[in-house]
Amino acid sequence: TYAVMSVMIGGVVDQLAPDSNFEIWNNVTNSSIIDTVARDKERVQIAATVTFMSGLFQILLGLIKFGFVVTYLSEPLVRGYTTGAAIHVIVSQLKYTFGINPKRYSGPVSLIYTVLEICYLLPETNIGTLVVSIVTIVCLILAKELNAYLGKKLPVPLPMELFAVVIATVISWQVNLEERYGVAVVGEIPSGLQPPAVPAWSIFVQIIGNAFALSVVGYGIAISLGRIFALKYGYKVDSNQELLALGLSNSIGGLFQCFAVSCSMSRSMVQESTGGKTQVAGAISAVVILFITLWIGSLFEDLPKAVLAAIIFVNLHGIMKQFLDIPALWKTNKVDMLVWVVTFILTLLLNPDFGLLGAIIFSLLTVIFRTQLPKYSLLGQLPGTDIYKPVEDYTQAKQVPGILIFRSSATLYFANAEMYQEALGEKVTTQTEH
């Protein structure tokens, strides 16, 4: 799961199954109470139906080769987008770090409202939770440094995150952090798997727009992060294959009351930082989760949520280093730098769903802008070679007598044809005068 997708599904669930639909009158207290059992059952069915429908959309998009849109996800766009999305993830975990309960906001600029709400609630910080967060973060950072130091001597990196979870759970259980210090813990973890269930066909019309948006956002997140790792490790990502894989996961999972999946940025970074490089790592993770779900989930009920938040913070530091792209792009390509910055700002302000759409539109506009303002140059031959370079940039490049070689940096088409003609005429006139 992913924080942004969770918020999107939460919005649909709140809209179709609000608390007011499940109020019952209590004659003893002469007040209304909420039937949480019926409400939660309805909400699970809605979430599973949205998941199922988003999976169908992803399969359909994969079959019609919608993956071509990845062509417009340039590296600056992807890195700016994932950096902005990482900020959303970090903000979503701050409530667990400080032990506060801010209101949940959705829609544009919801991140700003959430940050302001958290700042307003800081005086209510639970000291015990904050101490747990700080200790966990410090220990994980030190453990990461130790792992890096011992990296060449160990066959595999030590799973420090796993150690942190186990140790924190044991300490929380022994000290009783929840009751003594008010530290929020994971709480009840149901065991077993749900039997397959038919989606709620009656709400399909109401959720069709949300399901389509969810399918596109889930794909955007997965392919963006996939391309980052592909660039880092030198392999290619089949964009249409990703759509089909996500679609099958969500459509089949929806039948078993599963939650919509995509690509979790924080967990992917944890996987990478602990040495996972192939599908074997994913298979082992899946088997471990299966055991936890069926048998040993209850052992982690005392795990403080602050520890999970700390693990996410520490493992997102790699994504945060992408801010260094800005000065590097400023020196090499200012348009790419602008794409990075605008994508980051749009992702922050409009949330990752609309932010991704806005970033792609802006990226397309820059492509048009570049074709509208190409660089026109005259080429000359470098002595003793068959290499031709712009004479204004290379002093050694000499024009061939009697021949004018004119080059445009952009493809010639109807939108810049007139400018091309004017530039060519100007260059010819100048040369003729000389």
Side-chain angles (χ1 to χ4, degrees):
T1 60
Y2 184 63
V4 176
M5 298 178 68
S6 301
V7 171
M8 293 175 70
I9 292 181
V12 180
V13 167
D14 284 341
Q15 178 185 345
L16 299 182
D19 288 340
S20 57
N21 286 7
F22 301 93
E23 290 181 351
I24 55 177
W25 189 258
N26 189 324
N27 292 322
V28 178
T29 60
N30 283 330
S31 62
S32 60
I33 59 174
I34 298 173
D35 185 352
T36 55
V37 175
R39 180 198 64 185
D40 292 348
K41 183 179 178 181
E42 176 76 11
R43 288 183 170 181
V44 167
Q45 188 177 34
I46 293 171
T49 304
V50 174
T51 297
F52 173 77
M53 200 166 186
S54 70
L56 293 183
F57 275 124
Q58 286 169 333
I59 292 175
L60 179 62
L61 292 173
L63 293 176
I64 64 173
K65 307 297 183 184
F66 180 76
F68 76 89
V69 75
V70 174
T71 306
Y72 301 103
L73 297 179
S74 63
E75 184 181 355
L77 187 149
V78 168
R79 292 173 72 85
Y81 176 72
T82 49
T83 306
I87 300 292
H88 279 275
V89 174
I90 289 172
V91 171
S92 72
Q93 299 300 310
L94 288 176
K95 60 183 179 182
Y96 301 122
T97 301
F98 295 103
I100 53 180
N101 293 301
K103 297 176 185 176
R104 187 172 70 184
Y105 296 94
S106 59
V109 301
S110 60
L111 184 77
I112 308 298
Y113 289 130
T114 303
V115 171
L116 293 175
E117 177 77 5
I118 290 172
C119 293
Y120 176 74
L121 294 175
L122 280 181
E124 302 176 17
T125 298
N126 181 292
I127 301 302
T129 302
L130 185 59
V131 169
V132 170
S133 301
I134 294 173
V135 170
T136 306
I137 290 173
V138 171
C139 291
L140 281 174
I141 291 174
L142 294 175
K144 292 281 185 184
E145 294 298 323
L146 180 63
N147 240 345
Y149 177 73
L150 299 176
K152 297 180 180 179
K153 301 177 182 178
L154 297 173
V156 292
L158 296 174
M160 296 302 182
E161 288 80 6
L162 178 61
F163 294 158
V165 167
V166 172
I167 293 171
T169 303
V170 172
I171 293 174
S172 175
W173 170 55
Q174 289 292 325
V175 180
N176 199 358
L177 291 178
E178 183 180 21
E179 292 187 10
R180 292 182 63 180
Y181 302 102
V183 177
V185 296
V186 172
E188 182 184 358
I189 301 177
S191 60
L193 298 176
Q194 295 293 325
V198 179
W201 307 106
S202 58
I203 65 170
F204 265 34
V205 176
Q206 296 171 271
I207 64 172
I208 186 169
N210 300 100
F212 182 77
L214 192 72
S215 65
V216 174
V217 171
Y219 171 68
I221 293 165
I223 201 68
S224 296
L225 204 55
R227 283 168 70 89
I228 281 183
F229 289 121
L231 287 167
K232 185 173 182 179
Y233 292 107
Y235 61 85
K236 290 186 178 181
V237 178
D238 187 334
S239 53
N240 291 308
Q241 181 76 3
E242 292 295 313
L243 268 172
L244 292 174
L246 282 172
L248 287 171
S249 298
N250 285 327
S251 57
I252 295 174
L255 297 175
F256 289 85
Q257 300 187 31
C258 290
F259 201 82
V261 298
S262 173
C263 184
S264 170
M265 187 178 302
S266 55
R267 271 154 278 205
S268 298
M269 298 306 295
V270 170
Q271 184 100 296
E272 188 221 14
S273 64
T274 52
K277 288 184 172 63
T278 69
Q279 292 93 328
V280 174
I284 293 174
S285 298
V287 171
V288 171
I289 291 295
L290 181 64
F291 275 97
I292 291 173
T293 305
L294 294 178
W295 296 293
I296 62 175
S298 58
L299 297 180
F300 293 96
E301 291 180 357
D302 289 314
L303 173 63
K305 293 181 180 179
V307 173
L308 296 176
I311 291 174
I312 290 172
F313 293 151
V314 172
N315 285 283
L316 281 179
H317 79 282
I319 292 287
M320 291 296 100
K321 289 180 180 179
Q322 292 180 166
F323 278 111
L324 298 175
D325 292 351
I326 297 177
L329 289 173
W330 173 262
K331 297 176 182 177
T332 57
N333 192 318
K334 291 181 175 58
V335 176
D336 281 346
M337 187 214 69
L338 191 62
V339 169
W340 195 107
V341 173
V342 170
T343 301
F344 175 75
I345 293 173
L346 289 176
T347 305
L348 283 188
L349 297 182
L350 302 181
N351 294 343
D353 46 2
F354 290 110
L356 179 62
L357 176 61
I360 292 175
I361 292 173
F362 181 78
S363 182
L364 289 173
L365 290 175
T366 63
V367 173
I368 297 172
F369 177 74
R370 291 185 213 202
T371 64
Q372 291 288 303
L373 294 174
K375 181 179 180 181
Y376 300 113
S377 52
L378 296 178
L379 302 187
Q381 184 180 22
L382 294 179
T385 71
D386 58 356
I387 298 173
Y388 292 81
K389 293 293 183 181
V391 292
E392 60 266 29
D393 296 333
Y394 294 82
T395 54
Q396 292 183 342
K398 304 298 180 183
Q399 289 184 257
V400 180
I403 298 176
L404 187 70
I405 306 175
F406 177 77
R407 188 185 70 176
S408 169
S409 62
T411 302
L412 180 63
Y413 72 117
F414 72 92
N416 61 10
E418 189 173 341
M419 290 185 291
Y420 182 94
Q421 186 178 3
E422 291 176 358
L424 177 59
E426 183 182 336
K427 295 285 187 184
V428 169
T429 303
T430 304
Q431 290 298 307
T432 306
E433 290 174 352
H434 283 310

